[in-house]
Amino acid sequence: MGCVNASDVSWGAPRAERADAARNRRLLLATAREMLAESGPDRLTMDALAERSGLGKGTVFRRFGTRAGIFQALLDDSERGFQEQVLSGPPPLGPDAPPRERLIAYGQARIRFLLEHREIARHSIDGRQNVPTGTQTPLSRAHIRMLLGRIPLGAADLDLLAMQLTAALDAPLLLYVSASALDAAADRAERRLTSGWRDLVDRVCRP
Amino acid sequence: MGCVNASDVSWGAPRAERADAARNRRLLLATAREMLAESGPDRLTMDALAERSGLGKGTVFRRFGTRAGIFQALLDDSERGFQEQVLSGPPPLGPDAPPRERLIAYGQARIRFLLEHREIARHSIDGRQNVPTGTQTPLSRAHIRMLLGRIPLGAADLDLLAMQLTAALDAPLLLYVSASALDAAADRAERRLTSGWRDLVDRVCRP
DNA sequence: CGTGGAAACGGACTTTACCCCGTTTATCTG
DNA sequence: CAGATAAACGGGGTAAAGTCCGTTTCCACG
């Protein structure tokens, strides 16, 4: 837990982020959340964000690269707490639970998380690039991969299987089910996706 | 097969597409393909497409709605042949094969198709909207759904399972595996995804 | 402290997606 | 064949994304 954070002597390779840059990133994320809460994702433009933060547009773009990048950063940020639950929280989500149960619990938690942040998650997808490296899904994938490694499955391409399961978990919420349908019946959707995930995992993990 | 095509007396509800509109759509798609072949997807801008087609910008937008819409239309168009193979071609892809084998064959064919059209497929994703209704994936989903219905699976939410499998099939190519990785080793990727799909279907379909 | 160089900043500039609405054209009806 | 009507067209206009590069700020090191 209290081991290594960004401001430590952790410079293994790059050179730690400059102080002003870090401050501005926090400021930008905070401002973005405000704007999001006030007027929804569509009004969150790069120009507006820059102006409202009192920063230049160039800064916003260097930090996030692209519009979708802002949403990725926001999602990433929101995910931190969730990640801690997964890595060191209580079972069945955290360690000290049998891997198959952890896998099911993980899916349930992720579904809830994505539902809760569906707007942001939706907007974090950028057709020009594949899903962001170093954020959201890769961690999902890595975690699922790790759990699969501890479940007795016959010979199998575990990396690929992890990717397939990640897709089965995320894509419905990110791509397939319409946003309006989710808004209309979020509870129902959550129950359905959750039990669907359990079924899928059950099917995949046996003999 | 030769039952109902767009120009028939099929006006159940809307009013068949106007002749000039149809002609222009074909022209636009053809021009888009040319431009794509010549200079890649990034140079395919709405303005350029309009000008090169000798049409107005407004026309392009009314036809396709959005930039991603062009790529969706292109993909849809390319998919027609593929769909016929699936609906009425020879087994194991077409009818007259046991459903489990058809499902596996379908996945293999779809993987090949997406790999072949990966550029277009990538660009057809629009973060603002869920995956297009009436094209590509919905058909995938419907087909998978239909096949699942004919495979003995215990009690299961078949609609959801179909969505999960569709996601597991498409998302790796659409979202997760980087375009450059695919370009670098498309053959290897195809083999891996293909056998991964077989494994997944095997796992899912056995009580 | 002072300083050199790397990193971050700012905001004008360019490009592109997307909107709007007056005008033209296809098709249907009598 | 003429007139009506709804659809399609055109292309200028707007706003937002993304780029560039001269200027400023940080901070490691002396």
Side-chain angles (χ1 to χ4, degrees):
Chain A
M1 300 263 24
C3 280
V4 171
N5 64 52
S7 63
D8 272 354
V9 200
S10 67
W11 49 316
R15 178 134 96 193
E17 187 181 38
R18 238 169 74 171
D20 53 347
R23 182 165 38 79
N24 283 339
R25 200 190 51 240
R26 278 193 298 273
L27 172 61
L28 285 168
L29 288 179
T31 310
R33 273 195 215 288
E34 283 175 26
M35 297 177 67
L36 223 40
E38 281 175 23
S39 33
D42 290 335
R43 299 247 182 230
L44 179 49
T45 75
M46 302 302 257
D47 282 318
L49 176 58
E51 182 169 12
R52 177 147 170 180
S53 306
L55 299 175
K57 214 182 352 175
T59 305
V60 178
F61 274 93
R62 177 157 355 78
R63 203 87 301 146
F64 301 114
T66 174
R67 187 182 135 90
I70 292 183
F71 292 91
Q72 289 162 22
L74 286 171
L75 202 62
D76 209 33
D77 190 54
S78 297
E79 209 172 340
R80 227 174 288 286
F82 172 58
Q83 287 176 16
E84 280 184 14
Q85 291 294 308
V86 171
L87 294 178
S88 54
L93 192 55
D96 301 322
R100 214 178 105 276
E101 290 179 31
R102 271 190 94 186
L103 185 53
I104 290 172
Y106 178 78
Q108 295 180 344
R110 173 116 185 127
I111 286 166
R112 181 174 290 108
F113 175 81
L114 282 181
L115 261 175
E116 205 168 329
H117 300 87
R118 67 203 114 157
E119 273 194 331
I120 297 179
R122 263 320 157 101
H123 285 263
S124 73
I125 298 174
D126 179 2
R128 297 195 198 288
Q129 333 232 330
N130 40 315
V131 124
T133 313
T135 107
Q136 37 161 346
T137 336
L139 196 138
S140 237
R141 200 153 98 200
H143 188 62
I144 290 176
R145 171 60 237 265
M146 184 274 281
L147 292 175
L148 288 178
R150 302 185 180 189
I151 299 175
L153 303 160
D157 185 337
L158 293 185
D159 288 320
L160 185 54
L161 186 55
M163 185 157 69
Q164 291 170 325
L165 288 179
T166 306
L169 184 56
D170 286 3
L173 286 159
L174 292 180
L175 293 182
Y176 296 146
V177 177
S178 86
S180 49
L182 289 179
D183 289 339
D187 281 11
R188 191 186 214 76
E190 179 173 345
R191 273 195 297 277
R192 210 168 150 205
L193 289 166
T194 290
S195 71
W197 172 253
R198 195 208 334 277
D199 286 358
L200 182 63
V201 171
D202 278 347
R203 284 179 189 283
V204 167
C205 305
R206 67 183 151 176
Chain B
M1 296 294 288
C3 280
V4 172
N5 64 53
S7 64
D8 271 355
V9 200
S10 66
W11 48 318
R15 178 135 96 193
E17 187 181 34
R18 237 170 76 169
D20 53 346
R23 182 165 38 79
N24 283 340
R25 200 189 52 239
R26 279 192 299 274
L27 172 61
L28 285 168
L29 287 179
T31 310
R33 273 194 216 287
E34 283 174 26
M35 297 176 68
L36 223 40
E38 281 175 23
S39 33
D42 291 333
R43 300 251 182 226
L44 180 49
T45 74
M46 303 302 256
D47 284 343
L49 176 57
E51 181 168 11
R52 178 147 169 181
S53 306
L55 298 175
K57 228 187 322 187
T59 305
V60 178
F61 274 94
R62 175 155 359 78
R63 202 88 301 146
F64 301 113
T66 173
R67 185 182 136 91
I70 292 184
F71 292 92
Q72 289 163 21
L74 286 170
L75 201 63
D76 211 32
D77 189 55
S78 297
E79 209 173 340
R80 229 174 287 285
F82 171 58
Q83 286 178 15
E84 280 185 13
Q85 291 294 309
V86 171
L87 294 178
S88 54
L93 193 55
D96 301 323
R100 216 180 102 276
E101 288 178 32
R102 270 190 95 185
L103 185 53
I104 290 171
Y106 178 78
Q108 294 179 345
R110 173 115 185 127
I111 287 165
R112 181 175 289 107
F113 175 82
L114 281 180
L115 263 174
E116 204 169 329
H117 301 89
R118 66 202 111 148
E119 271 194 334
I120 297 178
R122 252 340 147 96
H123 285 262
S124 73
I125 298 174
D126 180 1
R128 296 193 197 287
Q129 333 232 329
N130 40 317
V131 123
T133 314
T135 106
Q136 37 160 347
T137 335
L139 196 138
S140 236
R141 201 152 98 198
H143 188 63
I144 290 177
R145 172 59 237 264
M146 184 274 283
L147 292 175
L148 287 179
R150 302 185 179 187
I151 298 176
L153 304 160
D157 185 338
L158 293 185
D159 289 320
L160 185 55
L161 186 54
M163 184 158 69
Q164 291 170 326
L165 289 179
T166 306
L169 185 56
D170 286 3
L173 287 159
L174 291 180
L175 294 182
Y176 296 148
V177 177
S178 85
S180 48
L182 288 178
D183 289 338
D187 281 11
R188 190 185 217 77
E190 179 173 345
R191 274 195 296 277
R192 214 171 147 202
L193 288 166
T194 290
S195 71
W197 173 253
R198 195 207 334 278
D199 286 358
L200 182 63
V201 171
D202 278 348
R203 284 180 188 282
V204 167
C205 305
R206 64 180 151 175

